[in-house]
């Protein structure tokens, strides 16, 4: 699944266009490397998202999209949050 779509489906970022913009500005790292919105994710990938004053790090645990918002949390495992 593409990075931008995964971020939207998992509800880490609410809109796909915003996910594309953030990735294009190199504020998202996959396994420690800057990732483009079209990056294909695999199980076990570690995603670092740079928000304004913090970094959120999660691990991809599922790539199966779901239609229920409550189940979207099961697409990733929260690893840690780093304040800047």
């Amino acid at each position: 699944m593409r990075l931008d779509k995964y971020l939207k489906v998992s509800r880490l970022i609410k809109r796909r266009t915003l996910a594309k913009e953030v990735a294009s500005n190199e504020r998202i790292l996959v396994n420690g490397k800057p990732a483009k919105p079209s990056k294909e994710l695999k199980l076990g990938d570690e995603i670092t998202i740079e928000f304004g004053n913090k970094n959120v790090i999660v691990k991809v645990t599922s790539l199966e999209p779901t239609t229920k918002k409550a189940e979207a949390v099961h697409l990733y495992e929260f690893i840690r949050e780093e304040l800047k």
Side-chain angles (χ1 to χ4, degrees), residues 7 23 67:
L7 293 172
T67 56

Side-chain angles (χ1 to χ4, degrees), residues 8-35:
K8 191 243 185 238
V9 169
S10 67
R11 313 264 312 148
L12 286 165
I13 295 179
K14 292 190 179 193
R15 293 185 312 272
R16 189 169 176 181
T17 54
L18 183 58
K20 284 182 183 182
E21 182 181 320
V22 172
S24 295
N25 291 330
E26 297 186 351
R27 291 175 49 202
I28 298 178
L29 306 175
V30 175
N31 299 324
K33 298 178 184 174

Side-chain angles (χ1 to χ4, degrees), residues 1-6 23 28-31 33-42 45-47 63:
M1 179 183 301
R2 288 173 52 112
L3 174 62
D4 57 347
K5 184 172 182 179
Y6 180 84
I28 298 178
L29 306 175
V30 175
N31 299 324
K33 298 178 184 174
K36 294 183 179 182
S38 60
K39 166 82 173 146
E40 286 293 324
L41 294 176
K42 295 176 253 161
D45 281 346
E46 190 173 282
I47 302 171
L63 295 172

Side-chain angles (χ1 to χ4, degrees), residues 48-66:
T48 303
I49 306 168
E50 180 184 322
F51 290 105
N53 61 346
K54 65 183 175 182
N55 290 343
V56 174
I57 300 148
V58 297
K59 182 178 179 181
V60 177
T61 58
S62 176
L63 295 172
E64 296 295 321
T66 179

